[in-house]
Amino acid sequence: MLTAPDRNRSVQVHERGDRSLDGIFRLIEAAGQPRPLGEVLAQMCADVSAIAAAEVVSIYVRAAGETDESGAAVFTMRGNVGFPAESVGRVHLRQGEGITGFVAEKLLPVSVAVADRDEHFKYIPGLGEERFPVLLAVPVVRAGAAAAVLVLQRGPDREFGSEEVVLATALAAVINHALERAEERARAQAPAGRASVRLLGAALVRGAAMGRSHVVPTLAALARGTAPAPTGGVTVDSAFERLAADFNARKASANATGEAARELESLAFILDDRRFRERLAAAAAGPSPLKSMSELAREYARVAFTAAGGDPATEELMAARAAEIEDLCVIVHAAITGQTLVRPGDILISERLRGFLAAHALARGVSALVAEGPLAEASAPAALARAAGVPLVAGVAGLFAWVHPGDLLVVDADAGSVRVNPEAAHVARFRNQRA
């Protein structure tokens, strides 16, 4: 039997200063912080990287109700350390797609010694994954489904052991806590009384604006709803002509050079593609226009990747081109069905702002453009916004975690900030400055 002193000596209190525990303490603290989800996940990726000795850590999150055309859940990279910053918000994987999607489907951890040799591997252009072939993916499970997937990657010959799999599974539980806290904050910001928050980004076109936030739906989102029928007043040809006129006028006024000029010329070439226009008209006239348009956009993506011949830079360019074509399809579909995508005075918020959508929104008189993903100053959207004198803020982390369609926004592009649901004092200050 232990004496009292012996019993006291058998108890050890583990406080800060233990390097292995400090990272876990930081991770738990980050999970509970009332910051935009993007910032929280970025901090957690850095902490997990230190805890698990992984050069790359990514968190793919499933947005509530987000599915592709087939109904499969879609997971988006919302946090990362180790890959290019622009990867966050840009990389999407369906359930069952790639190793990440496979883990989300099976709800079990998966580790591989060489990721690109696995049958489930999916190559993502621009990430540079080939430098980190050792991979461990762990599901973040809630209510019997994957709410997210935690992915750790290392350089060659540094496989994850069984104890590290257990550790990563425990870390996934902390990430689940962060997601739950973000959802609690979102519920607390319901329309009856949403909190005011100030988000920061990069100011690409200076100025200030106030208006209601607006999101242009994707083809997949349109397909999930009740699709309106064509009105008969606008054809695909006339919609193309209107878009081409808007685009060419703004392209000319932008007087862009360098990369922006090349990007704008590339988009103009799509509008001049008679064969594409004919195929889009045929898709719009079919029994399932949205499905046919989606298939057409995906076909262009497949052709693009085949033509790229494995060159990552070319594949990334072609993937961006395919996304532009999807935006074009959304604009054309809205025109032939009599829908209004954006209204004068709206503040357009987007995950990735691209040329066609920027040109269309500017032609309709939006008061500002805000993007969650990063944009280069030499990009086509920035050149178009600059020519129109419309404020543009990009790289706004956590934009879609905090902003809902219809929220009142004050965009201060001079400071690179977006204030969501501003208090009365901020609204009055904005109006006084404008007056």
Side-chain angles (χ1 to χ4, degrees):
M1 173 180 283
L2 292 174
T3 64
D6 289 333
R7 282 197 297 271
N8 290 339
R9 283 196 296 270
S10 68
V11 177
Q12 181 179 354
V13 177
H14 297 274
E15 299 181 350
R16 291 189 179 277
D18 184 327
R19 184 176 177 184
S20 62
L21 290 176
D22 280 354
I24 295 177
F25 285 135
R26 286 195 301 270
L27 188 71
I28 295 171
E29 288 172 357
Q33 290 179 353
R35 294 188 292 163
L37 181 60
E39 294 181 15
V40 172
L41 295 182
Q43 179 61 53
M44 295 184 82
C45 284
D47 292 337
V48 171
S49 175
I51 295 167
E55 290 91 340
V56 177
V57 176
S58 307
I59 300 175
Y60 289 81
V61 179
R62 175 183 178 176
E66 184 177 347
T67 59
D68 68 0
E69 296 86 351
S70 67
V74 177
F75 293 80
T76 301
M77 185 191 290
R78 294 296 183 192
N80 174 265
V81 63
F83 285 148
E86 59 269 19
S87 305
V88 176
R90 180 180 69 84
V91 181
H92 312 274
L93 291 167
R94 299 188 306 275
Q95 183 166 308
E97 181 181 28
I99 298 174
T100 299
F102 177 70
V103 167
E105 182 177 59
K106 296 301 181 182
L107 299 181
L108 292 170
V110 170
S111 62
V112 293
V114 183
D116 61 7
R117 295 180 186 172
D118 186 85
E119 60 177 320
H120 303 289
F121 177 76
K122 176 180 173 62
Y123 176 72
I124 305 295
L127 291 186
E129 287 187 279
E130 60 277 2
R131 295 179 294 135
F132 310 102
V134 180
L135 183 147
L136 168 62
V138 178
V140 178
V141 182
R142 187 188 313 154
V149 178
L150 170 64
V151 181
L152 287 65
Q153 292 176 248
R154 290 173 173 168
D157 303 322
R158 296 173 56 210
E159 294 184 39
F160 290 94
S162 57
E163 291 185 357
E164 292 176 307
V165 175
V166 173
L167 172 62
T169 303
L171 299 179
V174 184
I175 293 169
N176 193 18
H177 175 62
L179 298 178
E180 288 176 340
R181 289 296 302 273
E183 290 172 4
E184 289 171 4
R185 289 193 296 270
R187 286 193 293 269
Q189 296 163 24
R194 291 177 183 159
S196 176
V197 64
R198 182 171 179 261
L199 306 176
L200 297 178
L204 299 184
V205 180
R206 297 189 178 279
M210 182 169 69
R212 295 288 174 181
S213 64
H214 188 80
V215 182
V216 171
T218 62
L219 278 177
L222 289 172
R224 289 195 296 272
T226 302
T231 61
V234 179
T235 65
V236 169
D237 264 340
S238 59
F240 249 79
E241 293 301 331
R242 183 187 305 173
L243 177 60
D246 286 343
F247 182 82
N248 289 328
R250 298 199 169 274
K251 173 175 171 287
S253 66
N255 195 26
T257 59
E259 186 59 36
R262 288 189 290 273
E263 191 176 340
L264 291 171
E265 286 296 337
S266 173
L267 299 181
F269 179 78
I270 295 174
L271 294 174
D272 292 336
D273 187 342
R274 172 59 60 178
R275 182 171 177 273
F276 171 73
R277 187 184 302 196
E278 291 172 352
R279 295 192 62 191
L280 184 56
S288 303
L290 289 170
K291 181 179 179 182
S292 299
M293 287 181 178
S294 297
E295 290 172 352
L296 179 59
R298 286 199 302 272
E299 181 180 335
Y300 263 73
R302 285 195 297 269
V303 170
F305 280 110
T306 301
D311 175 58
T314 305
E315 287 184 359
E316 186 172 9
L317 176 64
M318 291 301 193
R321 174 74 61 83
E324 286 281 9
I325 290 171
E326 180 169 335
D327 286 348
L328 188 152
C329 289
V330 170
I331 295 169
V332 169
H333 180 266
I336 64 178
T337 56
Q339 298 179 84
T340 301
L341 287 181
V342 288
R343 299 174 298 272
D346 280 344
I347 294 179
L348 178 68
I349 63 171
S350 60
E351 192 171 278
R352 296 285 295 180
L353 183 62
R354 292 179 282 265
F356 282 139
L357 183 56
H360 178 78
L362 291 168
R364 299 303 177 274
V366 295
S367 59
L369 301 169
V370 180
E372 185 173 58
L375 269 177
E377 288 193 17
S379 65
L384 294 171
R386 199 171 295 116
V390 171
L392 168 58
V393 179
V396 182
L399 181 66
F400 280 88
W402 289 93
V403 180
H404 300 73
D407 278 346
L408 183 64
L409 305 181
V410 171
V411 177
D412 181 356
D414 294 328
S417 72
V418 179
R419 195 173 290 276
V420 186
N421 297 313
E423 298 171 357
H426 293 294
V427 173
R429 187 179 306 125
F430 172 85
R431 288 174 173 161
N432 288 337
Q433 289 171 344
R434 298 290 285 184

